Each structure stands twice: as structure tokens, then as C-alpha cells.
Amino acid sequence: PLPRPRSPLYPSNPSINFVGAMAEALRRSPPPVYRMAEALGAELRRLSARFGPDAVAGLVPVVVRLLELLEAQGDPAAAEAEAPEAENQSQEDNVARTEREVMLRLKEVVDKQRDELRAQAHEIVCKSRDLEALQEQLQRFMARNEELRHKVAVVQAQLRSVLEKNSDLEAEAPSPPEEPQHQDAGRSPAHCCFSKEELQQILQERNELKTNLFLVQEELAYYQRELLNEERIPSLFLDAMKSTIKRQRKKIRAKMLGTMEEAESNDEDEGSCATGSVDAHPHPPESRIRSFTFPGKSSPPRLLSALSAASGSGIRTAAKIPPHPAAPEPGKSSTPWNRSWSRRVIPVPAPPTEPHHPPDPMGMASLQHFLVAQQHWLLPHGW
Amino acid sequence: MNILAPVRRDRVITDLPPCFRKEAALHTRSSFHPTVSSACQEQRTGTVGFKISKIIVVGDLSVGKTCLINRFCKDTFDKNYKATIGVDFEMERFEVLGVPFSLQLWDTAGQERFKCIASTYYRGAQAIVIVFDVNDVASLEHTRQWLADALKENDPSNVILFLVGSKKDLSTPAQYNLMEKDALKVAQEMQAEYWAVSSLTGENVRDFFFRVAALTFESSVLAELERSSARRIGDTVRISSNESDLYLSAPRKKPKCCQ
């Protein structure tokens, strides 16, 4: 088929392509038509060359169409093909129409879908706005929750400490009743503490007591030794004496520790003591050990108070004596008094009523020096 | 005849007890100073028989100062910690070379708040026992400070020092050996005699206190003899540097560690 007018060759630039188009038409034409066509072509080329391609531009399509018609008349096959072409044309029209209808329908569908899409997009925008709002709300709630949890924790901690304080106060509660008036305004019973001076006083007193204990123990050991050295002493008496000394020591210890019950209960045991004379004297407990060491006396000289009287200072003030007391030789001066004391002890089982001769002053002096020296060494300087 | 009662048989010292470590000992001689031995034999010990030597025991809190003293004096051990309030003391009587001799062991509080009270008892000590825990390096480091504080109240040239590591039973041999190296170094710096003890098992406790008693006795008798001989000569000052043993007259160097 020949090129159609809607082919891009003609409308755009017919002057340039008309020769080719004619050659094409001529090539397919029967021989007589060819010749006429060739002649026409030559004429037209000449005209074109002489007056420019525009001069023949209007002529060419008409000539081409004529040549085509001539060609079709000259070619029977081509003439027959003319009828179906018309049918085809109408069919093509039908197709175009249906296509147009389909296109219209499609357009409708597309429009509808576009509207739907627009609506959905709008809906999505709305929903996302809602979502955002909800998320904001959620965050607010979470923050608030956090805050509340924190507050709860703080309150719980406060509650716990208050409970602890309360239980502490409850634990302390039993003691205040008897001594609330003694307490200073700023001091609770639990925080009652000693000042440095008070503590030093307590320690000094403790040290003095401990020192006295040591000295008394030494005294006892000394007397014990003296008795053991004396062969005339009956063993029964010695045993009784030893056990009594032991009890007395226990008693002193109990007194020092403030456990007087123990000391009281021990008093009963002393009643059965073999010496029999210990409980005969209605002296306070402090003096018993002395009354025992001088068992035969109706008015027993208390060893320590006698020493105090002799030196003019009590045992407690002994530490204040100058640092280097002239301590005598132990052996020489102490011996006579020891002897006399040992001798005095012997008649104990049968308690005498008459007063005995006073203790040897030399012996007392030496013992006193010993005790003073001991006190000096035992107590720290500066007391 | 002596006025004091005889001491317990297990407190009699006839020979000088040996030191614990030769590297850190006050001296390593095997017997008492000959002057002391002969003075005791001839009973020229003067008032030593009346004398009580003051020993102070210092060191960080809960290193076992009280336990150490209680193990030796009472042969007891209490596992529960009970802080010493201020100070406490125990008497222990010995017989050294036939001469009665007493130690007064002053147990001081390790707690800082009692330090001001405890330190008033430091004065007049013949020996300072500084205790640390062999399982606690810090307590060893603190011994320098304890020594410095104790020496403030005492004449450094007249006082005998002992550095004692306690709680040896809680330490493995390997750990202990490491600690001992450091402790020996500290003891050498202080010019102190080093000991390691366990109050729980009693390991070395008796030996340690016997050594303390013997050495304080020795120095006490020597000081007494020096005093009496000086008195005898009158105006003449006796130069003692021609003594056979120079350790007596050589002045003690000031410990380097507590300036």
C-alpha cells in the first residue's frame, strides 16, 4: 500500500520527499503508466529545479493520487483489493468506536479509582493525625507514670526510715521512765555519752581497783606462803584457810564487777569455815579479809588502814608520793614482822579474847614501802 | 628473804630466750649480758626486785592486742571482738635469773576516738609493743604512726621496741612469707625486734613475752647498775665505752621512719 497522507513524509516536508514517493508509486505501476509517470516526474523535477520545490508542492500529492488510481485500474488484483479495503475501513471505524467506548469506560473507572484514592489518602492523613495525638497522649501518661513511681519510691523510703526510727525509739522506750529528769534537753538516752574527763576518771578508778586487787592477791599469796613455811600449822587449818582465801578473792572480784549476789551467796559458805572466827566480827564486807588475816583480834587492825595511818596518806593517795621513794632492802626489814605475824596466827583455832601485841613497826614500814613502790609503778604518771 | 610471793614455776627465766628472726632482733647474743648475770648471782640487783617494767601495747583496732595479752596472762581466747575502752592493764610476774621482776602490760585502745585517752598512758614505758595483723597490709603501714605517737611520750634512746604480727593462724605460709618480708623491713627501719604470733593457737605468744621480760629485765638491771656505780664514784663520770660489749653504750640511733 502507498504511503498514507498521515504518514510522516507528506505533511512535514512534501517538497523534499515527493520524488521518492512518486518513484515508489511508479515502481509499482504497470508499464504504460510508468512511462507517463516517468515523464511527469521528469517534468516536475524540472519545474522544481526551475521554480523551487514549493512550486510543485501542491501538485505532487494530486499527481501521486492519480498515478495510484491509474495503477489500480491497470492492476486487476489491486482493483479487487479496493473493496475489502472499504470494509476494512468500516471495520477499523467500528474498532475505533469500541476502543473509544472502552477508553471512556476505562476513564470512568480510573476517575473513580482516583477519587477513591484521594478519599483514602485523606482518611490516612486524618488517621495519622489521630495516631500522633494518641502517641503524644501516651507519652504524657508514661511521663506521669514515671513521676508517680518515683514519688512512690521516695515515700516508701521515707516510710521505711520512719519505721526504723520508730522501732529504735520503741527499743529505747523502756529505759527513759526512771531517768527522764536527768537528761539534758539535747541528749536522748541512747546518745548519753561520757566526756573525756569522765571516762578518764572511770579508767583511773578501774586501774586503782585493779591495782588493789593485785596487791591484795599478793598479800594473800604472801600470807599463804608464810603459813606453808610454818610447819606447826595443822594441815586441816591450812586447807580451810586456803579455801577461805579463794572465796575471799572471789568476793573481791564480785565486788569489783558489781555482782553482789554472788558475794552474798558466798557468805553462807563462810559460816562453815573451819576457823569459826571469821563471821564472828560484825564488820562490813570490806574489812573481812583483814579480820581474817588477823583472826585472833577482838578489834582487828586493818592492815591497809593501819598503813594509811602510819604514812599519813591512804592507799589511794599513795601514787602521789614522790617518784623515787627510798625502798628498803626487802629481806632485812620484813623478816621480824613476818615472824611475829606467823606466831600470832597459830592460836587461831581457839579464838583468844585478849588483845595481842601490836605489829612490829619495822615490818610494817617495809611492807608500806613495798606497797607505795607498787602503787608508784602501777599507776601511770601524773595521776 | 623476799617479801614478794614466789612466782609461778612457768614464769621462771633462767636463760635468755632466743629471738624470732635474726634479721630483726634487738641483739642476737645467746645469753644474758655477763654484767647482769654476775650482778644477779651476787644479788646486787638493788631495787630491781621491786621494779615493775611498764610495757605498752599499741596498734590498729582489732589487730588483737587484747587477745595477745589475754592469751599470755589468762591463757584464754575470745573470738568475739570487744573494743578496749581507753586502756587496760595486766600484771605478770616473772623470776629472771632468780630475781623477781614484774611486767605491767598496758593494753591500749586502737580506736581513734580513744587515742587521746590511751596516749596519756604512753609515758614511762620501758618497752613498746606495736601490733599489726599479718593479713592486713594497712595495719603494718600504720605501725610507723603508732611508733611515732608512742615515742612522743618516751625517750627514744631508753625504750625497747617490738613489732608483732598477729593472727598468724589466718595466713597461709605463702601469704605469711610475703608479709614477713615487708614486716622485717619495717622492723629494721624502726630498730625493733620482729615477732609473729597467733593468739588463737598460742603460737610464739609465750616465747615472745618471755623475750620481752628478759630484755626489759636486762636493760633495767644494766641501767640500775650504771646508776649505782655512778653514785659510788661520786663526781667522776664513768666512761662506759670501754665495756666489752659496745651495744650498751652506743647511743641508739633515732629511728628513720618517724621524722
Side-chain angles (χ1 to χ4, degrees):
Chain A
L2 286 168
R4 293 203 159 263
R6 61 172 178 271
S7 135
L9 286 175
Y10 285 91
S12 59
N13 201 351
S15 60
I16 293 167
N17 294 308
F18 74 94
V19 180
M22 267 173 50
E24 179 71 10
L26 291 172
R27 193 175 46 81
R28 299 186 173 202
S29 303
V33 184
Y34 282 155
R35 278 193 298 277
M36 283 168 70
E38 266 172 34
L40 261 173
E43 259 331 283
L44 283 169
R45 238 175 268 136
R46 199 164 50 85
L47 281 171
S48 170
R50 194 165 170 186
F51 302 103
D54 291 335
V56 294
L59 197 59
V60 171
V62 182
V63 172
V64 169
R65 185 65 191 148
L66 276 171
L67 286 172
E68 277 178 355
L69 286 173
L70 286 171
E71 188 187 33
Q73 281 175 348
D75 183 8
E80 282 172 12
E82 273 303 301
E85 201 171 333
E87 269 174 51
N88 281 350
Q89 195 108 31
S90 67
Q91 271 179 350
E92 273 177 31
D93 289 348
N94 280 341
V95 167
R97 209 181 304 123
T98 47
E99 269 181 3
R100 210 177 300 123
E101 278 167 19
V102 168
M103 285 292 285
L104 281 171
R105 242 179 286 139
L106 279 172
K107 191 177 177 299
E108 269 171 36
V109 170
V110 165
D111 286 352
K112 203 179 140 199
Q113 283 181 338
R114 186 196 58 204
D115 292 344
E116 275 175 14
L117 275 172
R118 278 182 189 160
Q120 279 176 344
H122 180 72
E123 205 176 340
I124 284 170
V125 169
C126 290
K127 295 264 183 205
S128 65
R129 240 178 253 152
D130 287 353
L131 182 69
E132 267 172 42
L134 282 169
Q135 271 178 338
E136 264 173 44
Q137 208 171 1
L138 178 68
Q139 255 161 0
R140 275 204 306 278
F141 280 133
M142 274 162 71
R144 179 90 184 121
N145 191 27
E146 193 74 15
E147 207 176 302
L148 287 171
R149 272 175 197 277
H150 180 70
K151 273 187 188 167
V152 165
V154 169
V155 168
Q156 272 181 338
Q158 280 175 342
L159 183 69
R160 226 174 293 133
S161 76
V162 166
L163 280 172
E164 271 169 32
K165 268 184 208 161
N166 190 34
S167 64
D168 284 355
L169 284 171
E170 272 172 15
E172 286 163 16
S175 61
E178 66 259 23
E179 47 179 358
Q181 65 274 27
H182 297 302
Q183 294 303 323
D184 298 342
R187 274 197 203 169
S188 78
H191 298 104
C192 171
C193 54
F194 298 102
S195 70
K196 188 189 162 191
E197 286 70 28
E198 284 169 330
L199 186 56
Q200 273 178 329
Q201 278 171 12
I202 291 163
L203 285 171
Q204 185 191 359
E205 205 171 318
R206 200 267 324 264
N207 290 342
E208 282 174 11
L209 286 169
K210 224 167 165 179
T211 304
N212 288 345
L213 172 70
F214 174 72
L215 291 171
V216 168
Q217 281 177 340
E218 288 298 308
E219 266 181 72
L220 286 171
Y222 168 72
Y223 299 142
Q224 211 170 357
R225 181 177 56 137
E226 287 300 308
L227 290 171
L228 284 166
N229 285 346
E230 187 59 71
E231 283 168 13
R232 285 177 289 169
I233 296 168
S235 62
L236 176 72
F237 173 64
L238 261 183
D239 288 344
M241 191 157 193
K242 270 195 271 184
S243 69
T244 312
I245 284 170
K246 209 172 159 189
R247 269 204 297 277
Q248 293 283 5
R249 275 188 190 168
K250 238 190 218 170
K251 214 167 149 186
I252 292 166
R253 191 176 166 276
K255 272 180 210 158
M256 283 177 73
L257 298 173
T259 51
M260 289 309 288
E261 293 85 358
E262 202 186 324
E264 295 299 325
S265 67
N266 280 354
D267 282 356
E268 291 156 25
D269 300 339
E270 279 174 35
S272 62
C273 180
T275 61
S277 64
V278 175
D279 286 335
H281 304 289
H283 283 286
E286 291 82 31
S287 66
R288 284 201 183 165
I289 183 143
R290 283 138 206 171
S291 67
F292 177 68
T293 55
F294 296 89
K297 298 224 159 243
S298 54
S299 58
R302 294 182 180 184
L303 177 60
L304 295 182
S305 54
L307 284 171
S308 306
S311 66
S313 64
I315 191 95
R316 284 193 176 234
T317 56
K320 287 166 189 145
I321 281 168
H324 294 289
E329 285 289 321
K332 291 176 201 164
S333 50
S334 62
T335 312
W337 181 76
N338 296 340
R339 293 260 168 79
S340 70
W341 184 83
S342 312
R343 258 182 264 116
R344 267 188 289 112
V345 166
I346 313 312
V348 164
T353 48
E354 59 194 88
H356 283 248
H357 51 274
D360 180 73
M362 281 296 286
M364 284 299 268
S366 102
L367 184 59
Q368 184 197 338
H369 277 302
F370 157 71
L371 290 171
V372 166
Q374 292 251 334
Q375 282 279 322
H376 168 65
W377 283 103
L378 277 165
L379 295 172
H381 298 254
W383 290 115
Chain B
M1 168 121 196
N2 201 299
I3 198 160
L4 288 168
V7 301
R8 284 160 55 186
R9 229 172 272 168
D10 60 355
R11 293 285 185 261
V12 175
I13 300 173
T14 51
D15 300 304
L16 183 72
C19 61
F20 180 64
R21 288 279 181 270
K22 284 199 166 60
E23 302 94 300
L26 289 175
H27 65 69
T28 51
R29 287 174 299 123
S30 58
S31 57
F32 281 105
H33 192 282
T35 319
V36 174
S37 303
S38 60
C40 290
Q41 229 160 15
E42 295 158 30
Q43 306 212 320
R44 284 192 288 108
T45 51
T47 55
V48 172
F50 289 100
K51 204 164 187 172
I52 295 164
S53 276
K54 177 174 175 174
I55 316 294
I56 57 169
V57 181
V58 295
D60 274 6
L61 73 156
S62 80
V63 293
K65 299 179 287 297
T66 306
C67 283
L68 179 64
I69 290 170
N70 283 347
R71 169 58 78 195
F72 180 64
C73 297
K74 300 172 186 168
D75 199 23
T76 57
F77 183 82
D78 188 357
K79 273 185 183 149
N80 303 316
Y81 174 66
K82 213 177 112 200
T84 303
I85 295 167
V87 289
D88 198 357
F89 74 84
E90 290 298 330
M91 292 296 304
E92 200 56 48
R93 295 191 45 223
F94 293 87
E95 191 186 294
V96 190
L97 296 173
V99 178
F101 180 68
S102 297
L103 286 187
Q104 189 187 22
L105 300 164
W106 283 93
D107 179 18
T108 65
Q111 286 189 357
E112 190 64 34
R113 59 192 176 128
F114 292 127
K115 218 171 170 180
C116 57
I117 288 172
S119 61
T120 61
Y121 290 82
Y122 289 172
R123 216 186 314 163
Q126 270 82 49
I128 301 169
V129 178
I130 310 153
V131 187
F132 72 97
D133 179 351
V134 295
N135 309 289
D136 179 6
V137 190
S139 70
L140 175 62
E141 282 161 12
H142 296 158
T143 56
R144 293 187 168 97
Q145 189 54 48
W146 285 110
L147 175 65
D149 292 344
L151 286 183
K152 268 182 216 156
E153 306 290 328
N154 287 288
D155 177 7
S157 61
N158 279 334
V159 73
I160 298 174
L161 304 179
F162 293 90
L163 181 69
V164 180
S166 62
K167 308 190 190 179
K168 193 164 178 273
D169 55 282
L170 292 181
S171 181
T172 65
Q175 284 173 331
Y176 171 72
N177 287 338
L178 275 177
M179 194 61 144
E180 194 186 67
K181 269 185 205 162
D182 293 342
L184 285 171
K185 220 180 286 170
V186 174
Q188 283 158 1
E189 270 177 45
M190 291 175 173
Q191 299 182 22
E193 178 158 319
Y194 173 69
W195 280 79
V197 299
S198 165
S199 304
L200 178 80
T201 65
E203 183 187 358
N204 294 336
V205 172
R206 187 180 179 275
D207 294 345
F208 165 66
F209 280 107
F210 270 51
R211 179 81 175 163
V212 172
L215 291 176
T216 47
F217 175 80
E218 193 179 44
S219 73
S220 163
V221 172
L222 285 167
E224 192 80 26
L225 291 172
E226 207 163 314
R227 254 209 304 278
S228 61
S229 66
R231 239 179 277 142
R232 216 179 296 136
I233 290 163
D235 295 333
T236 321
V237 176
R238 189 178 157 188
I239 311 292
S240 53
S241 58
N242 52 4
E243 292 254 6
S244 56
D245 196 325
L246 277 173
Y247 102 98
L248 294 167
S249 47
R252 184 194 192 88
K253 280 181 280 169
K254 217 174 173 231
K256 291 167 263 176
C257 53
C258 21
Q259 301 298 327

mmCIF file of all heavy atoms in Angstrom, chain A residues 82 87 94 123 162 164 186 192 201 204 267 271 306 334 355 366 383:
data_model
loop_
_atom_site.group_PDB
_atom_site.id
_atom_site.type_symbol
_atom_site.label_atom_id
_atom_site.label_comp_id
_atom_site.label_asym_id
_atom_site.label_seq_id
_atom_site.Cartn_x
_atom_site.Cartn_y
_atom_site.Cartn_z
ATOM 1 N N GLU A 82 -9.555 -3.174 -3.646
ATOM 2 C CA GLU A 82 -10.169 -1.909 -3.251
ATOM 3 C C GLU A 82 -11.387 -2.126 -2.358
ATOM 4 O O GLU A 82 -11.551 -1.443 -1.354
ATOM 5 C CB GLU A 82 -10.609 -1.099 -4.495
ATOM 6 C CG GLU A 82 -9.524 -0.207 -5.098
ATOM 7 C CD GLU A 82 -8.934 0.797 -4.172
ATOM 8 O OE1 GLU A 82 -9.662 1.664 -3.621
ATOM 9 O OE2 GLU A 82 -7.707 0.727 -3.896
ATOM 10 N N GLU A 87 -14.235 -2.214 3.348
ATOM 11 C CA GLU A 87 -14.760 -2.976 4.503
ATOM 12 C C GLU A 87 -13.854 -2.800 5.713
ATOM 13 O O GLU A 87 -14.316 -2.551 6.821
ATOM 14 C CB GLU A 87 -14.839 -4.470 4.146
ATOM 15 C CG GLU A 87 -16.172 -4.871 3.559
ATOM 16 C CD GLU A 87 -16.196 -6.317 3.072
ATOM 17 O OE1 GLU A 87 -15.802 -7.192 3.888
ATOM 18 O OE2 GLU A 87 -16.551 -6.548 1.890
ATOM 19 N N ASN A 94 -15.337 0.745 13.330
ATOM 20 C CA ASN A 94 -16.005 0.057 14.455
ATOM 21 C C ASN A 94 -15.058 -0.153 15.630
ATOM 22 O O ASN A 94 -15.390 0.096 16.787
ATOM 23 C CB ASN A 94 -16.539 -1.311 14.001
ATOM 24 C CG ASN A 94 -17.869 -1.186 13.241
ATOM 25 O OD1 ASN A 94 -18.535 -0.150 13.378
ATOM 26 N ND2 ASN A 94 -18.218 -2.171 12.475
ATOM 27 N N GLU A 123 -8.242 10.021 54.345
ATOM 28 C CA GLU A 123 -8.523 9.260 55.565
ATOM 29 C C GLU A 123 -7.219 8.938 56.305
ATOM 30 O O GLU A 123 -7.137 9.048 57.529
ATOM 31 C CB GLU A 123 -9.249 7.962 55.176
ATOM 32 C CG GLU A 123 -10.096 7.423 56.311
ATOM 33 C CD GLU A 123 -10.878 6.192 55.855
ATOM 34 O OE1 GLU A 123 -11.042 6.018 54.616
ATOM 35 O OE2 GLU A 123 -11.306 5.415 56.711
ATOM 36 N N VAL A 162 11.231 5.942 108.693
ATOM 37 C CA VAL A 162 10.386 6.321 109.827
ATOM 38 C C VAL A 162 10.082 5.100 110.684
ATOM 39 O O VAL A 162 10.129 5.151 111.912
ATOM 40 C CB VAL A 162 9.085 6.990 109.323
ATOM 41 C CG1 VAL A 162 8.063 7.065 110.445
ATOM 42 C CG2 VAL A 162 9.372 8.380 108.792
ATOM 43 N N GLU A 164 11.963 2.443 110.943
ATOM 44 C CA GLU A 164 13.184 2.090 111.668
ATOM 45 C C GLU A 164 13.355 2.966 112.898
ATOM 46 O O GLU A 164 13.649 2.484 113.983
ATOM 47 C CB GLU A 164 14.404 2.248 110.759
ATOM 48 C CG GLU A 164 14.704 0.985 109.973
ATOM 49 C CD GLU A 164 15.745 1.225 108.891
ATOM 50 O OE1 GLU A 164 16.626 2.073 109.104
ATOM 51 O OE2 GLU A 164 15.658 0.570 107.842
ATOM 52 N N GLY A 186 19.142 18.237 125.013
ATOM 53 C CA GLY A 186 19.633 17.787 123.714
ATOM 54 C C GLY A 186 20.021 16.326 123.665
ATOM 55 O O GLY A 186 20.371 15.821 122.616
ATOM 56 N N CYS A 192 23.484 9.074 125.302
ATOM 57 C CA CYS A 192 24.121 9.507 126.536
ATOM 58 C C CYS A 192 25.562 9.025 126.502
ATOM 59 O O CYS A 192 25.821 7.845 126.455
ATOM 60 C CB CYS A 192 23.387 8.910 127.733
ATOM 61 S SG CYS A 192 24.232 9.168 129.271
ATOM 62 N N GLN A 201 38.266 9.477 134.496
ATOM 63 C CA GLN A 201 38.029 9.193 135.911
ATOM 64 C C GLN A 201 37.658 7.730 136.119
ATOM 65 O O GLN A 201 38.137 7.074 137.034
ATOM 66 C CB GLN A 201 36.904 10.080 136.432
ATOM 67 C CG GLN A 201 37.390 11.471 136.812
ATOM 68 C CD GLN A 201 36.243 12.410 137.114
ATOM 69 O OE1 GLN A 201 35.102 11.969 137.255
ATOM 70 N NE2 GLN A 201 36.536 13.692 137.186
ATOM 71 N N GLN A 204 40.646 5.615 135.681
ATOM 72 C CA GLN A 204 41.544 5.721 136.836
ATOM 73 C C GLN A 204 41.032 4.869 137.988
ATOM 74 O O GLN A 204 41.783 4.149 138.630
ATOM 75 C CB GLN A 204 41.658 7.181 137.275
ATOM 76 C CG GLN A 204 42.679 7.354 138.390
ATOM 77 C CD GLN A 204 42.619 8.730 139.020
ATOM 78 O OE1 GLN A 204 41.826 9.559 138.602
ATOM 79 N NE2 GLN A 204 43.449 8.965 140.009
ATOM 80 N N ASP A 267 28.704 -15.776 151.296
ATOM 81 C CA ASP A 267 28.762 -15.535 152.743
ATOM 82 C C ASP A 267 28.318 -16.749 153.537
ATOM 83 O O ASP A 267 28.847 -17.034 154.596
ATOM 84 C CB ASP A 267 27.895 -14.333 153.109
ATOM 85 C CG ASP A 267 28.600 -13.038 152.783
ATOM 86 O OD1 ASP A 267 29.772 -13.082 152.354
ATOM 87 O OD2 ASP A 267 27.970 -11.989 152.953
ATOM 88 N N GLY A 271 30.221 -19.501 156.861
ATOM 89 C CA GLY A 271 29.763 -19.913 158.183
ATOM 90 C C GLY A 271 30.317 -21.263 158.587
ATOM 91 O O GLY A 271 30.570 -21.520 159.757
ATOM 92 N N ALA A 306 45.843 0.693 158.737
ATOM 93 C CA ALA A 306 46.981 0.890 159.630
ATOM 94 C C ALA A 306 48.134 1.520 158.866
ATOM 95 O O ALA A 306 48.806 2.433 159.343
ATOM 96 C CB ALA A 306 47.430 -0.449 160.224
ATOM 97 N N SER A 334 61.774 -6.849 156.643
ATOM 98 C CA SER A 334 60.477 -7.505 156.679
ATOM 99 C C SER A 334 60.470 -8.742 157.559
ATOM 100 O O SER A 334 59.450 -9.137 158.073
ATOM 101 C CB SER A 334 60.061 -7.884 155.258
ATOM 102 O OG SER A 334 60.999 -8.793 154.746
ATOM 103 N N PRO A 355 43.786 -8.695 173.745
ATOM 104 C CA PRO A 355 44.498 -8.090 172.623
ATOM 105 C C PRO A 355 45.948 -8.528 172.564
ATOM 106 O O PRO A 355 46.591 -8.728 173.580
ATOM 107 C CB PRO A 355 44.377 -6.589 172.897
ATOM 108 C CG PRO A 355 44.096 -6.478 174.357
ATOM 109 C CD PRO A 355 43.401 -7.732 174.776
ATOM 110 N N SER A 366 58.376 -1.662 156.186
ATOM 111 C CA SER A 366 58.895 -2.256 154.941
ATOM 112 C C SER A 366 57.760 -2.627 154.004
ATOM 113 O O SER A 366 57.841 -2.399 152.795
ATOM 114 C CB SER A 366 59.752 -3.465 155.280
ATOM 115 O OG SER A 366 59.059 -4.652 155.055
ATOM 116 N N TRP A 383 48.958 10.944 137.747
ATOM 117 C CA TRP A 383 47.663 10.834 138.423
ATOM 118 C C TRP A 383 47.705 11.546 139.756
ATOM 119 O O TRP A 383 48.676 11.474 140.460
ATOM 120 C CB TRP A 383 47.276 9.377 138.643
ATOM 121 C CG TRP A 383 46.937 8.690 137.391
ATOM 122 C CD1 TRP A 383 47.598 7.661 136.803
ATOM 123 C CD2 TRP A 383 45.847 8.984 136.531
ATOM 124 N NE1 TRP A 383 46.996 7.295 135.649
ATOM 125 C CE2 TRP A 383 45.926 8.085 135.444
ATOM 126 C CE3 TRP A 383 44.816 9.925 136.554
ATOM 127 C CZ2 TRP A 383 45.018 8.098 134.411
ATOM 128 C CZ3 TRP A 383 43.918 9.933 135.525
ATOM 129 C CH2 TRP A 383 44.016 9.031 134.468
#
